[in-house]
Amino acid sequence: MRGRLSGRRFLAGAGLIFASLVFPTRGRTQDITASREGNQAASATVRQYCVTCHNGKLRTAGLVLDPAALTEVSRNAEVWEKVVHQLRSKTMPPPGMPQPDAATYEKVAAFLETELDRAAAAHPDPGELPNLRRLTRTEYQNSIRDLLSISDLPKEMDFSLLLPADNAASGFDNIADLLYVSPAVMERYLDAARKISRLAIGDPAMPVMVNIHRLPLEQPQNSRVDELPFGTRGGIAIHSYFPVDGEYDFQIETDGFAREPHQFEITVDGERKQLAQLGGAAGRGARRREGPTEYRISVKAGPRLIGVAFVQRTEALDEATLRPRMRTRGTQPAIAAVTIRGPYNVTGPGDTPSRRRIFICQPQTPAEETACARQILSTLIPRAYRRPVTDQDLARLLPFYEQGRKERDFDLGIQTALERLLVSPQFLYRIERDPAGAAPGTTYRLNDVDLASRLSFFLWSSMPDDELLDAAAAGRLKDPQVYEQQVRRMLADPRSESMVTNFAAQWLYLRDVEVKKPDLFVFQDFEEGLRKSFERETELFLDSILRENRSVRELLTANYTFVNERLARHYGIPNVRGSQFRRVTLPPGSPRAGLLGQGGILTLTSYSTRTSPVLRGKYVLENLLAAPPPPPPPNVPSLNTENASSGEALSLREAMVQHRANPACASCHARMDPIGFAMENFDAVGKWRDQDAGKPIDVSSALPDGAVVNGVQGVRDLILRDPERFAGAVTQKLLMYGLGRNVQYFDAPAVRKIVRDAAASDYTFASLVLGVAQSDPFKIRKSRPEKRNP
């Protein structure tokens, strides 16, 4: 039998052919029997339910299914993986056609998965990746942070201004094939290297920088800003890196009319440096100024927290209690912008984290300088290039040191060499070299050094640290125990917050919250403070899932969230005061449980004036179930929100019913709309409501398979009725992000293995991450054909 032969081949691959032929164990006999029975069930199912449409004559959707091909499933793995996906999501056969029972769905899908997984285990396909890919803007920023101990760059050197945005595909901006460097982009990297090296060294001759920080018009300033001193209100907290010891000009622009005297202060790391007054007579120790005000303040080099805020007038009545709430900075004078210029009158480079990181030695005489320079560069190179240093690496940089040294001094020599290092392809690109003589298409295990880079950019979006590099250089990552220990260590490190701020932010499209603009007249209560609260809530929530190693199921079911007073008021959560975020336990049955109850998710899946069941349904299908609907057909008519005969306003559900009457729209909307309708109790900014257009909201709908979705809890139940499917959706996103390429059909066996292995730990986030890091697609690669010039 073909099934028996296939089983023998599989066992032979494991080195057990003799035993299977002569002494077949009961377990192996059962496997062969199960395979034969699965083959028979699959053949019967395909004949009964599939070939009516997917035959050689009709070729529906371009797909032909031949029951005879089930004896060698791996020969056409791409087709059968599509079948598995349809069976697991129960989207085929389509509604209205005869359907197999649940046991048949499961049996056929399990048979196909088993055959596909066996073939993949014997001949893994890691897909193709380019041998070099440019660092993304985020990876570049984090690598600079870890290489030079520089964070909180001045506004003028914000990486969003220094470097262009990366192209994105499938939601992620680290897709390798899109990370190329054009001549124009290279110019930006050269400029960035020059500015960063000056900042890191503390160049006393650096030009004046101008950094402008504008506050949004919709950001209220009636309460204290986090990180600023108690007893202040409004203003801004600015994290900035000052390059040298010297003087800096602070220009403050205010907004609003001061009928009574209001004082504002400028603080550096919490210490008041300047107190000034608007309106009225100046009080003791304060300077009275009108219009834009400018002050010159001495600031030490390094990362500093600059605060500009008004002193709270506790005796003053808040006019917000007398006026309706509006989207403005508030009813009192406010800070509109802060401009920082400098440095002036430089006194020295100062003692900064970057100088301590770079200058591991200090030459006392000119004769010691070259040796010290070699020591500094020999320490920087392996970190920057993410591999052991060679004599050739050092030889390339030393002439740049010597040039700077001749021009001025030792510091400028190191600065010039650093500038050259930051534009080296060894730093700007992640390079994975094929073994010498490897034939195109050959699969091989990554060497430990390249694997260390893959791992660090996956977990930290940054370069490997010294411990990981040392383990790689010693070849210890080949030991599974050492490798797992490194993965768990790195997940526990604070730098793994990039799994929230980079991976999850792109997977869940959280960055889109920042650009959403709810209509000013429809949602008068929405302002910038609420938007920032939405973003922070989801960041803290996702970080708790990671840090506490919780099951990914709790992304949907967690009975807690993080709120401050503004967000708690929006959600109707009592007894929360102040701007600080704190963890609160939600009552049983709360609609706010998990991601689907959070304002940020609900806002980014809405339009500016109304909710969108389509956007919300599509969001769930695409991001949480890995079953995206096809793109809409061309020339889709806009939604009509009024009754054509009476002119009465229609509820959104009534308008959608009319829209779905179009047969071209009905099939896809039948999957999306019930999910979106179930979330209609949340308005377009995530606030709870019971009515729409004056009518009670109906949150119950039926899916094409007959399942009823009732309210947001029904959506959670729908997603989690098959925990493996949800865990698989998360795993697919993790694998795509970790590899830097789209997930393909040949990755499905790896995804299934990761999910099965994680089931024992209830699909904790760490178990899925570890599974990706240990998977074949992550640890092996396929050699690429050499490119020949035409």
Side-chain angles (χ1 to χ4, degrees), residues 35 92 96 127 412 610:
S35 178
M92 285 290 165
L412 183 59
R610 62 170 176 86

Side-chain angles (χ1 to χ4, degrees), residues 414-741:
I414 298 297
Q415 177 181 316
T416 307
L418 176 60
E419 182 179 340
R420 170 61 179 83
L421 179 144
L422 294 180
V423 294
S424 167
Q426 306 287 335
F427 175 70
L428 293 179
Y429 288 90
R430 293 168 54 185
I431 303 173
E432 295 175 352
R433 296 177 177 84
D434 293 333
T442 302
T443 59
Y444 62 92
R445 185 191 181 279
L446 285 171
N447 64 59
D448 280 16
V449 172
D450 288 346
L451 183 59
S453 278
R454 270 201 188 187
L455 189 60
S456 66
F457 283 105
F458 174 39
L459 301 182
W460 290 346
S461 298
S462 183
M463 61 185 219
D465 64 357
D466 290 346
E467 180 174 339
L468 183 61
L469 276 176
D470 289 344
R476 295 199 302 270
L477 296 185
K478 295 182 181 67
D479 184 333
Q481 290 185 340
V482 172
Y483 185 67
E484 179 175 343
Q485 182 269 329
Q486 287 293 329
V487 173
R488 295 190 182 279
R489 175 187 72 86
M490 295 171 72
L491 276 175
D493 189 279
R495 282 169 286 190
S496 66
E497 71 172 355
S498 68
M499 296 300 294
V500 172
T501 59
N502 200 22
F503 162 68
Q506 295 188 80
W507 163 39
L508 298 171
Y509 292 89
L510 301 179
R511 295 175 180 176
D512 289 357
V513 176
E514 184 178 0
V515 299
K516 280 288 181 176
K517 298 290 185 183
D519 187 88
L520 172 65
F521 299 102
V522 178
F523 302 103
Q524 295 184 16
D525 194 46
F526 186 88
E527 30 74 15
E528 194 65 24
L530 184 59
R531 184 200 307 278
K532 296 296 184 186
S533 296
F534 283 165
E535 295 173 354
R536 188 59 180 154
E537 174 195 22
T538 305
E539 284 180 0
L540 291 170
F541 175 73
L542 291 169
D543 189 69
S544 73
I545 298 292
L546 169 65
R547 299 292 171 203
E548 298 168 22
N549 197 22
R550 292 176 173 267
S551 169
V552 293
R553 296 192 303 171
E554 291 196 53
L555 290 170
L556 302 174
T557 64
N559 68 341
Y560 67 90
T561 190
F562 296 83
V563 296
N564 59 4
E565 181 178 354
R566 178 66 187 92
L567 188 57
R569 185 168 67 250
H570 188 72
Y571 287 170
I573 298 176
N575 305 319
V576 177
R577 297 288 182 269
S579 59
Q580 304 89 357
F581 274 81
R582 77 289 317 264
R583 182 170 176 158
V584 297
T585 301
L586 301 170
S590 171
R592 296 293 174 187
L595 289 169
L596 296 181
Q598 294 182 3
I601 302 292
L602 296 163
T603 299
L604 67 86
T605 53
S606 298
Y607 293 120
S608 62
T609 58
R610 62 170 176 86
T611 59
S612 172
V614 175
L615 291 181
R616 289 178 176 176
K618 179 178 180 291
Y619 183 89
V620 170
L621 289 173
E622 183 173 345
N623 296 295
L624 305 182
L625 289 173
N635 303 318
V636 176
S638 60
L639 199 63
N640 185 6
T641 58
E642 290 186 358
N643 188 302
S645 58
S646 66
E648 291 183 359
L650 297 175
S651 70
L652 188 56
R653 187 181 187 113
E654 291 170 334
M656 289 299 300
V657 168
Q658 289 186 2
H659 182 74
R660 287 171 59 182
N662 184 341
C665 304
S667 60
C668 291
H669 280 278
R671 295 173 57 208
M672 294 185 292
D673 292 1
I675 296 172
F677 285 140
M679 302 171 69
E680 273 296 285
N681 280 131
F682 299 109
D683 70 10
V685 293
K687 200 167 188 176
W688 185 264
R689 60 181 182 169
D690 295 308
Q691 293 186 335
D692 178 28
K695 301 173 184 178
I697 295 175
D698 181 3
V699 293
S700 179
S701 298
L703 290 165
D705 64 0
V708 175
V709 184
N710 189 5
V712 67
Q713 184 56 47
V715 179
R716 297 187 187 100
D717 294 341
L718 169 69
I719 298 170
L720 295 177
R721 70 182 180 183
D722 184 359
E724 276 198 15
R725 188 179 177 195
F726 175 58
V730 178
T731 302
Q732 284 188 35
K733 297 295 185 178
L734 281 167
L735 189 63
M736 184 187 305
Y737 175 77
L739 295 177
R741 65 166 173 80

Side-chain angles (χ1 to χ4, degrees), residues 139-358:
E139 291 168 347
Y140 182 92
Q141 176 176 351
N142 291 346
S143 295
I144 292 295
R145 175 200 66 196
D146 296 337
L147 176 67
L148 304 175
S149 293
I150 293 180
S151 58
D152 305 324
L153 289 177
K155 189 75 172 179
E156 185 186 69
M157 295 177 62
D158 189 325
F159 284 95
S160 64
L161 302 176
L162 282 176
L163 302 175
D166 300 306
N167 296 317
S170 302
F172 293 105
D173 63 10
N174 68 338
I175 303 302
D177 287 334
L178 302 179
L179 295 171
Y180 52 85
V181 175
S182 66
V185 171
M186 194 63 223
E187 287 292 332
R188 302 281 289 273
Y189 277 104
L190 291 169
D191 185 54
R194 182 167 53 254
K195 291 179 177 179
I196 290 169
S197 59
R198 284 173 173 172
L199 191 77
I201 299 300
D203 184 1
M206 70 185 309
V208 169
M209 296 187 298
V210 180
N211 305 301
I212 303 173
H213 304 264
R214 295 194 180 279
L215 282 76
L217 180 63
E218 298 172 358
Q219 181 172 317
Q221 297 193 34
N222 289 325
S223 58
R224 187 182 77 87
V225 173
D226 282 347
E227 300 184 285
L228 296 188
F230 286 95
T232 63
R233 67 162 183 85
I236 184 173
I238 303 169
H239 289 272
S240 190
Y241 199 102
F242 289 80
V244 292
D245 291 348
E247 295 178 343
Y248 297 82
D249 286 346
F250 292 76
Q251 180 178 304
I252 315 300
E253 296 180 36
T254 58
D255 186 23
F257 181 70
R259 296 183 179 89
E260 298 177 330
H262 290 261
Q263 293 181 333
F264 68 85
E265 65 178 18
I266 302 174
T267 59
V268 178
D269 293 337
E271 179 183 353
R272 178 182 287 174
K273 296 293 186 178
Q274 187 68 55
L275 180 66
Q277 180 170 302
L278 293 177
R284 184 176 180 182
R287 297 169 61 189
R288 184 178 182 277
R289 299 291 292 270
E290 298 290 350
T293 55
E294 187 165 303
Y295 308 93
R296 180 162 290 190
I297 298 174
S298 294
V299 181
K300 290 288 188 181
R304 303 295 172 200
L305 173 61
I306 303 300
V308 181
F310 282 92
V311 177
Q312 180 70 55
R313 299 175 67 243
T314 55
E315 74 280 2
L317 293 176
D318 184 358
E319 295 183 33
T321 61
L322 306 176
R323 296 183 179 181
R325 185 173 182 82
M326 298 179 65
R327 274 206 225 170
T328 64
R329 295 185 173 117
T331 57
Q332 304 181 72
I335 304 297
V338 176
T339 301
I340 304 175
R341 294 185 181 87
Y344 301 101
N345 302 322
V346 175
T347 59
D351 180 21
T352 63
S354 59
R355 285 186 63 86
R356 291 194 294 271
R357 176 79 165 169
I358 295 168

